[in-house]
Amino acid sequence: MPDHSPLDLARRPRRLRRTPAVRALVEETVLRPQDFIAPLFVVEGKGKPEPIASMPGVFRRSITDLVKECRELAALGIPAVALFPKLDSRRKDAEGTAALHEDALVLRAVRAVKTAVPGLTVITDIALDPYTTHGHDGVLTRTGDDVDNDRTVSILTRMAVLHARAGVDFVAPSDMMDGRVGAIRRALDAAGFTHTGIVAYSAKFASAYYGPFREAVGSAKAAGTHLLGKDTYQLNPANRREALVEAALDAQEGADIVMVKPAGPYLDIIREVRNASDRPVAAYQVSGEYAQLHAAAKLGWLDLARTRHESLLAIKRAGADMILTYFAKDMAVALRG
Ligand code: PBG
């Protein structure tokens, strides 16, 4: 005889958690290799992959090595990569003119990857930060105290057409200038690239989590600080309504996919955009999110494999249809079991 009578409960949710089999049946979110987009860094030359101190396991790669990595990613079921060039500082100037060179590093990288692994979707960033000495995403106004919106947009539209010509599947404007998605869409269409898509960094916040990335592409060094202020164009982390406005504008202007960035600290934004938009939603688990898990794991304070999985599961559960993450390859390997 039990020494107590059972509680009179209409519902006992724990019945659905009793066994692994039942838990599997009621599982709502499942991660697959196809959910991930791998961001990759490319440099000139034929050197060995260069490690990035604050991003263990992430490298700046020569084009040859980049192609090799892309083959491996595709074989593991990763459907897409996002390419970021790191330029030698001597190639940078205040206007970011190297962004419009016909033979720019990123364009050669795109051609090499698309030739070697045609089925892999290639996405490139449209913004001037890898190319400017000041590290901003656009060109500055005459007084030098702000980024000139419209002049930047006209450069970015030309940049997007060059990328389309090199064969990218999607251009990803990450600059947060007003009106750039519409301008890029019109320029692509006028140049005959109606099939080239736009992944808009729509809700991109002025985040301190981009620090390691800025080391990786050298924009922090160019600017003399990891904490480069981009507050006049990137969103205030305090604001949610504004993120929805940006996502709606980008969709109206022709974005095929809208993005939220960073991801983990902005799950509420991912959910709001998912609910408000009929576009697929991408989320970018940025360099600082990656770095913090690695740092804690190195100290023995967190389990890397489990927190990695959980961090990405949370982003998908929040509503992301696809996730840019430096963990893409590790996840694809882990999910294969
Ligand atoms: C710049 C750009 C940034 C990232 C992607 N594109 C950084 C920035 O805005 O300074 C950050 C990605 C990351 O931190 O992983 N256009």
Side-chain angles (χ1 to χ4, degrees), residues 125 129 137 174 204 210 213-214 230 234 261 287 326:
D125 227 49
D129 55 302
D137 291 15
S174 72
K204 178 173 179 182
Y210 306 148
F213 174 96
R214 291 178 186 174
K230 297 191 175 182
Q234 298 179 347
K261 172 185 177 188
S287 56
Y326 302 97

Side-chain angles (χ1 to χ4, degrees), residues 169-182:
D169 299 281
F170 290 89
V171 290
S174 72
D175 56 295
M176 290 299 281
M177 295 301 118
D178 292 337
R180 89 282 204 216
V181 172

Side-chain angles (χ1 to χ4, degrees), residues 70-71 74 79 110-122 167 169:
C70 286
R71 278 209 176 88
V110 168
R111 286 191 287 261
V113 172
K114 286 307 292 186
T115 304
V117 204
L120 186 68
T121 296
V122 175
D169 299 281

